[in-house]
Amino acid sequence: MSQSTASNKKVVLAFSGGLDTSFCVPYLRERGYDVVTLFVDTGGVDDAERAYIEQRARDLGAVQHVTESGAQPIWDDVVVPLVIGGQLYQDVYPLLVSDRYIIVERALALCDSLGTRAFAHGCTGMGNDQVRFDQTVRSLGDYDILAPIRDIQHEHHAVRAYEAEYLQKLGHHVRPKTAKYSINVNLLGVTASGSEIDEFQAPGPETWQMCARPESWPKTPARIDIEFQQGVAVKLDGEALPGPEILRRLNAQLGAYGVGRNIYTGDTTIGLKGRIVFECPGIAGLMTAHRALEEAILTANQNGFKPLVAKKWVELVYRGFFFEPLKDDLQAFLRSSQTFVSGTVTLETAGGVVTPIAVRSEHILRNKGAVYAQSADWDAREAEGFIKLLGMSSTLSARVNPRRRPGQR
């Protein structure tokens, strides 16, 4: 762990009020730092929780606490390109903790304003977040990185249990849920890990945060209209809204029907198998609607090639390379593909899944004289000729180098 000079002992701590970052405050104070806590509200808390986080920081001994909003940057820099790309990490996970990059950006800006080069985070040495935090810091400037949780791993195997005991000995309460699970809530959705989740067992009831259980789903199906302009959602049920508000409303509307809950087991950046419960009702709805619109508007070649670009974009963001130049290059391509992706999609859900039941756009690639499998503006001879030429290579191979059928000798 590198440290600041003796003349500058102020450190900016990315703070959430959870177990790990709560531990960091007194830990850093014991080592001579004046701790300035920064909570970047990326859309996952209410007024009461924001007040709790501020009071928690002060009770733990922070010399200053700062709260900033990160919802709009999350929408602009994460949600929009994710939805436009239309891909998930390992085909399952929608990058729900990408708010880390926005948090680090804001924290380093605060470091600059306070005249310190010391930045601290509460990441462990076992997960992906440490890569996202550390690499972002290194990509954005020359700062000292303090990581107390990584430090204590050298001496304590059961890190979270030690953190809880440490805080309790100092007279600080520990929320029961934070002692059992590591839960992250932001505009994109919710992730939960720890306890039985890590043991590949059925998740406990406390992991249901945003999605309703099946027994609570409304009896009447819901229909929602989402309008896109050049690939970006701009209206919900005909009402023009800021992006973060669209996602908040979709989280509530689709979450009531249990849409967007899943369990992901995948290959982490550090090589371990990671397992989390995640809930993302709004993202699920946006991606479903956008894909239905895009598939009707882009050419076959665009629809075939674009996922290759998006998969690489997703991989870079997942693995910590949010400020990698290649990611910007890929994102420029994805944005270019959306020139004509404008229109409205109607989603419907009766619970669990959401379906795009109607698509309206003046840019749909329609042939006025033909409808697939129903009518055509070409004759049978043209169709037969097309098939003959399309399959010429395969036909010649069958004649020149015939393959034996199963059972033939």
Side-chain angles (χ1 to χ4, degrees):
M1 178 180 75
S2 59
Q3 294 192 4
S4 311
T5 64
S7 61
N8 181 11
K9 299 287 284 185
K10 186 170 288 187
V11 60
V12 173
L13 169 66
F15 186 76
S16 68
L19 178 61
D20 293 328
T21 58
S22 291
F23 169 86
C24 290
V25 178
Y27 179 91
L28 290 168
R29 290 184 64 218
E30 287 180 357
R31 281 147 186 82
Y33 287 95
D34 289 334
V35 182
V36 178
T37 51
L38 171 66
F39 172 62
V40 181
D41 182 357
T42 53
V45 301
D46 56 19
D47 291 342
E49 184 67 10
R50 273 189 294 275
Y52 167 83
I53 291 170
E54 179 175 359
Q55 188 59 49
R56 176 71 164 171
R58 298 190 185 284
D59 291 344
L60 290 165
V63 297
Q64 182 182 353
H65 178 77
V66 178
T67 298
E68 294 189 15
S69 174
Q72 191 62 47
I74 280 284
W75 172 263
D76 294 335
D77 299 336
V78 179
V79 176
V80 168
L82 175 66
V83 172
I84 284 176
Q87 298 298 304
L88 304 171
Y89 182 67
Q90 295 188 332
D91 299 322
V92 178
Y93 180 58
L95 307 179
L96 297 187
V97 295
S98 298
D99 61 335
R100 278 38 175 170
Y101 304 113
I102 308 303
I103 292 169
V104 175
E105 271 194 299
R106 295 301 181 88
L108 297 185
L110 182 57
C111 284
D112 293 344
S113 68
L114 294 174
T116 181
R117 311 305 292 173
F119 164 75
H121 61 68
C123 299
T124 72
M126 295 93 76
N128 288 330
D129 274 347
Q130 60 178 328
V131 182
R132 298 178 182 120
F133 273 82
D134 284 18
Q135 184 55 50
T136 298
V137 173
R138 293 188 170 96
S139 293
L140 294 179
D142 182 19
Y143 299 85
D144 296 329
I145 301 171
L146 309 178
I149 309 303
R150 283 201 301 237
D151 291 346
I152 65 173
Q153 285 178 226
H154 296 297
E155 301 175 4
H156 305 280
H157 178 68
V159 175
R160 291 182 67 80
Y162 172 75
E163 293 174 52
E165 182 181 0
Y166 173 88
L167 288 171
Q168 288 166 347
K169 284 182 177 179
L170 292 176
H172 302 296
H173 75 281
V174 176
R175 283 174 162 179
K177 70 175 183 179
T178 62
K180 185 175 183 180
Y181 298 111
S182 177
I183 296 177
N184 181 78
V185 184
N186 60 45
L187 185 66
L188 288 86
V190 180
T191 62
S193 61
S195 193
E196 73 280 351
I197 301 173
D198 293 345
E199 299 299 323
F200 289 81
Q201 303 298 317
E206 300 96 326
T207 64
W208 291 80
Q209 300 280 316
M210 191 173 284
C211 296
R213 293 174 175 274
E215 60 269 21
S216 301
W217 294 348
K219 303 302 181 184
T220 304
R223 288 190 176 185
I224 302 169
D225 284 348
I226 304 176
E227 182 178 330
F228 294 86
Q229 290 294 330
Q230 295 189 323
V232 181
V234 294
K235 290 184 180 180
L236 194 62
D237 290 327
E239 182 181 358
L241 295 167
E245 183 59 25
I246 289 176
L247 194 47
R248 288 190 190 97
R249 294 193 187 188
L250 286 173
N251 281 334
Q253 290 175 287
L254 295 175
Y257 286 83
V259 171
R261 181 177 169 89
N262 206 341
I263 300 175
Y264 163 68
T265 300
D267 298 304
T268 68
T269 302
I270 62 171
L272 297 173
K273 291 293 183 181
R275 187 171 190 256
I276 60 171
V277 173
F278 69 88
E279 298 173 308
C280 56
I283 292 292
L286 285 172
M287 294 187 79
T288 298
H290 179 270
R291 179 169 184 169
L293 180 64
E294 181 181 73
E295 287 178 338
I297 292 171
L298 299 188
T299 68
N301 285 323
Q302 286 177 302
N303 280 325
F305 180 74
K306 179 175 160 285
L308 302 178
V309 176
K311 280 183 179 293
K312 187 61 179 180
W313 184 93
V314 165
E315 178 187 329
L316 289 172
V317 174
Y318 177 86
R319 294 189 179 277
F321 296 99
F322 195 79
F323 293 97
E324 158 66 37
L326 176 59
K327 178 231 162 191
D328 295 334
D329 297 337
L330 299 174
Q331 197 162 309
F333 169 83
L334 295 174
R335 289 290 298 173
S336 175
S337 73
Q338 301 300 294
T339 301
F340 299 107
V341 183
S342 298
T344 300
V345 177
T346 300
L347 298 177
E348 182 177 79
T349 181
V353 297
V354 62
T355 305
I357 61 171
V359 179
R360 300 180 294 282
S361 173
E362 62 182 26
H363 300 291
I364 293 176
L365 301 187
R366 288 191 177 97
N367 184 340
K368 294 182 180 179
V371 177
Y372 177 70
Q374 296 185 39
S375 61
D377 56 0
W378 55 82
D379 61 32
R381 289 175 299 175
E382 290 174 309
E384 185 178 357
F386 166 76
I387 297 169
K388 182 178 180 180
L389 295 176
L390 177 68
M392 180 67 74
S393 180
S394 294
T395 301
L396 288 174
S397 177
R399 291 174 180 173
V400 176
N401 302 306
R403 300 174 63 186
R404 291 177 180 174
R405 296 190 183 92
Q408 285 185 332
R409 295 182 179 179

